[in-house]
Amino acid sequence: MSEQTAAVNNGWMNRALNTIEVIGNKLPDPAVLFALLMVIVWGLSWLFSGMTFTEIDPRSGQQVQIVNLLSGAALTQFASNIVTTFVNFPPLGVVLVAMLGLGVAEYTGFINAGLRSILAVTPKMLLTPVLIAVGVLSHVAVDAGYVLVIPLGAVIFYAAGRHPLAGIAAAFAGVSGGFSATFFVPSSLDPLLAGMTQVSAQLLDPTVTINPLNNYIFTTASTFLIVLVGWFLTDKVIEPRLQATKVDGDTSQMVKMDALSAQERKGLRAAVISMFVVAALLALSIVVPAATPWAAPAEQVAEGMNPLLVAASPLMKSIVTLIFVFFLVPGIVYGYVAGTVQTHRDIIKGMSNAMSGMGYYIVMAFFCALFLYAFNQSNLGVLLALKGANALKAMGLPLAMTLVGIVFLSGLVNLVVGSASAKWALIGAIMVPMLMELGISPDLTQAAYRVGDSSTNIITPLLPYFPLIVVFCQKYVKNSGIGTLVALMLPYSIAMLVLWTAFLLGFWALDIPLGLGATYDYIPNR
């Protein structure tokens, strides 16, 4: 071990992260933890249900009322909806369908051969920034990064002789930590948040209109910040700390950096050709956005947005299906040409193997879905968000400190309310009009919210995909738990929270445009 590595491993940061990991991993199994949290929510809902709160829910215009989940009506509704709650848990279908295609590609050897060919020509020092950048870019495909980029990050790092958990951390930092960064291509989050910001702004001034790309320049520039921060932390902090963590998972099927055989090269060429054929067919079907069935109806497309890239478009709704196809087809072609499969039964076996490895995730997803359902039904998250927003408003801080306060409030609320749109619907209705009264534009307030929300995505177990990332870690380090993942991602979260906030304040100080049609100052009837 080098002196530099030893210093990292013996420093206060490493000791603090080790303590967090140990404490976190001493918590009950994640599935049991979600069940216990659900019981706690039930108890708190009963305790607070009889109290009166002055906070107004902006979604309903009514005072917040905590719902008693232990009442007969609530319990019977919970019992009757268990199957629906589990089946409709958003990440469940996304993960399982995508893994069917990935399972075939992995079983036949296509992913193995493809990664070996890429790694043979990619400098090791650039693996980290490229992986993080790909994670940020994956937002165009909605949640695809969680089920595609993060597990491949582990595989790529392991194949390159690096620790696979460092690959998971770097990919997770790009996919989720950089959720509000955009790599030149707008994401479906842009019009979603802008629409809510406009509704909040019009509570004070009905003439205000918000461009869906009002943060586009800032979020694009933020990509470079996320990549640089993630690159430094992964290579200089996270990976040295992981040197003492033994990879004790089943490595027999993992990528090894052997030279491709002639049969493998032949199979890879055929598989890549098949991918291009599928891509060409898809491109032909969307070549005329105004006429293609992949586009969203005109009434569901905000001004300035591509009808193919909004959340309501069939193309965006079919991302998981496209992932399935884009891995299934070349996986099958590679298998037959390279000789790794003989019959269709081998293809089905590849799918079955992929599903057998998801058993633990399915159990965790069941309890996670029930907990989130109970938490949302109770209105406890709504109450916490509104109390935090009102407390920040009451402080009367200077403008710059108020913006910092919004960033940190968004980060704290993110720990108890998982959905980015739900949080903004709650606190935006208070913060946007409040700051407009102080002369701050809705565009700037929205940007501050996005910084806080993204920075803490990677450390909250309430993120719907958090249990899945724990499962990815356990594939390589068997005793990985919630504490392992939180300790891995905490340095990224803190660094992003601080540096990204400073980056936003720098934009403000230098008067660099935030996006299209955006301003920093609010002027009535602008």
Side-chain angles (χ1 to χ4, degrees):
M1 181 183 294
S2 68
E3 292 182 4
Q4 182 180 7
T5 301
V8 171
N9 286 339
N10 292 324
W12 66 268
M13 180 184 294
N14 188 66
R15 291 195 299 270
L17 293 176
N18 286 342
T19 300
I20 292 172
E21 180 176 359
V22 170
I23 294 174
N25 286 344
K26 284 186 177 179
L27 293 172
D29 184 274
V32 175
L33 181 61
F34 284 123
L36 292 175
L37 288 172
M38 181 177 65
V39 173
I40 292 172
V41 167
W42 284 350
L44 291 175
S45 72
W46 168 80
L47 181 64
F48 292 111
S49 61
M51 298 183 182
T52 301
F53 300 98
T54 58
E55 285 75 16
I56 302 298
D57 188 335
R59 300 170 300 180
S60 64
Q62 304 295 320
Q63 285 183 308
V64 174
Q65 178 65 48
I66 300 301
V67 177
N68 180 10
L69 299 180
L70 292 180
S71 68
L75 285 174
T76 53
Q77 182 182 13
F78 176 81
S80 62
N81 287 334
I82 282 182
V83 173
T84 303
T85 300
F86 176 48
V87 172
N88 291 336
F89 185 50
L92 184 64
V94 171
V95 170
L96 296 184
V97 173
M99 289 303 295
L100 286 172
L102 285 167
V104 171
E106 184 176 17
Y107 181 78
T108 62
F110 168 62
I111 290 179
N112 190 308
L115 289 177
R116 283 156 57 198
S117 66
I118 292 172
L119 291 173
V121 297
T122 303
K124 287 187 178 182
M125 67 171 294
L126 295 181
L127 284 181
T128 303
V130 169
L131 177 60
I132 297 171
V134 170
V136 173
L137 182 61
S138 71
H139 301 150
V140 178
V142 196
D143 292 337
Y146 289 103
V147 295
L148 179 59
V149 179
I150 293 175
L152 287 182
V155 173
I156 290 171
F157 267 50
Y158 183 80
R162 302 175 63 178
H163 202 289
L165 294 195
I168 288 176
F172 196 16
V175 171
S176 198
F179 190 66
S180 274
T182 52
F183 199 43
F184 300 112
V185 182
S187 72
S188 58
L189 188 65
D190 291 305
L192 180 64
L193 293 183
M196 293 180 176
T197 301
Q198 178 168 300
V199 170
S200 298
Q202 289 179 349
L203 294 173
L204 182 67
D205 184 352
T207 66
V208 171
T209 57
I210 303 296
N211 190 296
L213 299 182
N214 65 328
N215 291 159
Y216 178 64
I217 297 174
F218 172 70
T219 54
T220 298
S222 296
T223 299
F224 299 96
L225 175 70
I226 297 301
V227 170
L228 291 174
V229 170
W231 187 3
F232 175 82
L233 288 175
T234 302
D235 291 0
K236 302 300 183 181
V237 177
I238 303 302
E239 199 159 16
R241 176 175 172 267
L242 287 171
Q243 287 191 1
T245 303
K246 182 180 178 182
V247 177
D248 56 4
D250 181 10
T251 60
S252 60
Q253 300 299 318
M254 298 181 192
V255 179
K256 296 179 176 59
M257 283 301 293
D258 301 326
L260 292 175
S261 67
Q263 197 68 14
E264 287 176 325
R265 287 195 296 271
K266 183 179 178 181
L268 188 59
R269 282 195 298 269
V272 170
I273 291 172
S274 72
M275 288 187 75
F276 277 111
V277 170
V278 173
L281 292 174
L282 177 63
L284 287 174
S285 70
I286 64 176
V287 68
V288 184
T292 176
W294 290 113
E299 61 271 13
Q300 298 182 18
V301 182
E303 183 181 353
M305 291 299 296
N306 189 315
L308 293 170
L309 299 179
V310 297
S313 73
L315 180 64
M316 290 293 102
K317 291 180 178 179
S318 302
I319 288 296
V320 178
T321 304
L322 294 174
I323 291 175
F324 170 75
V325 172
F326 268 89
F327 280 90
L328 177 68
V329 172
I332 293 174
V333 171
Y334 177 88
Y336 279 110
V337 175
T340 57
V341 299
Q342 304 301 322
T343 70
H344 67 278
R345 291 182 173 82
D346 294 322
I347 305 300
I348 301 303
K349 185 178 179 181
M351 293 184 177
S352 300
N353 286 351
M355 289 299 99
S356 65
M358 298 306 296
Y360 181 60
Y361 171 71
I362 293 173
V363 173
M364 278 203 296
F366 174 74
F367 289 102
C368 183
L370 296 184
F371 161 67
L372 291 176
Y373 171 84
F375 192 68
N376 290 334
Q377 290 294 109
S378 71
N379 278 339
L380 287 169
V382 174
L383 180 64
L384 288 171
L386 294 177
K387 280 192 173 295
N390 286 331
L392 180 60
K393 180 178 180 180
M395 290 179 184
L397 299 172
L399 296 186
M401 290 301 298
T402 299
L403 285 175
V404 173
I406 292 175
V407 172
F408 281 84
L409 173 65
S410 302
L412 288 173
V413 173
N414 193 30
L415 299 179
V416 294
V417 181
S419 168
S421 56
K423 286 189 293 291
W424 191 228
L426 293 171
I427 63 178
I430 297 173
M431 290 302 160
V432 170
M434 180 190 83
L435 293 186
M436 288 170 66
E437 291 177 344
L438 299 177
I440 293 180
S441 73
D443 308 303
L444 179 55
T445 306
Q446 178 185 298
Y449 163 74
R450 297 181 74 165
V451 170
D453 176 61
S454 288
S455 299
T456 52
N457 273 341
I458 48 182
I459 59 171
T460 171
L462 295 192
L463 179 75
Y465 288 97
F466 202 87
L468 178 65
I469 314 304
V470 173
V471 172
F472 290 151
C473 292
Q474 290 174 342
K475 181 178 179 181
Y476 300 92
V477 180
K478 293 180 180 178
N479 65 348
S480 296
I482 289 177
T484 303
L485 188 53
V486 170
L488 271 179
M489 304 311 301
L490 191 58
Y492 296 99
S493 184
I494 294 174
M496 288 179 183
L497 198 61
V498 174
L499 297 176
W500 208 350
T501 301
F503 192 63
L504 175 61
L505 293 176
F507 256 69
W508 186 25
L510 298 174
D511 201 28
I512 302 173
L514 286 170
L516 304 185
T519 62
Y520 285 103
D521 301 319
Y522 166 68
I523 301 174
N525 300 316
R526 61 182 171 131

